[in-house]
Amino acid sequence: MLFRKEIEPRCAYCQHGTDIGEESVACLKKGVMDSGSHCGSFRYDPFKRVPPQQAEPDFSKLSDEDFSLE
């Protein structure tokens, strides 16, 4: 399965919405909405959703011995 079945609805990644600012979305159904809100017309658009950034690994705690094979 490519996507989860239960996606938390948000105007930021709805088919009916278009970003007009950092916190606002122009919705074809409801007009200007907050990007975190949603309405009953929500339709998920996977191309609008940006996955969260992964944490960078911290290699400072490792020594050279951790990388040797002997």
Side-chain angles (χ1 to χ4, degrees):
M1 180 171 1
L2 189 57
F3 302 108
R4 296 183 313 188
K5 286 190 175 192
E6 295 298 322
I7 300 294
E8 181 182 343
R10 292 179 182 249
C11 289
Y13 41 86
C14 176
Q15 287 178 352
H16 304 295
T18 304
D19 285 336
I20 58 172
E22 198 152 315
E23 296 292 323
S24 298
V25 173
C27 178
L28 295 174
K29 303 287 185 175
K30 297 285 186 173
V32 178
M33 301 279 290
D34 182 46
S35 63
S37 64
H38 70 281
C39 67
S41 298
F42 175 78
R43 295 290 175 260
Y44 179 60
D45 184 356
F47 294 111
K48 290 185 179 179
R49 187 158 186 209
V50 178
Q53 294 287 331
Q54 292 184 349
E56 291 290 325
D58 183 19
F59 296 117
S60 64
K61 297 177 183 175
L62 301 174
S63 65
D64 289 339
E65 294 173 1
D66 295 326
F67 295 101
S68 67
L69 296 175
E70 297 177 6

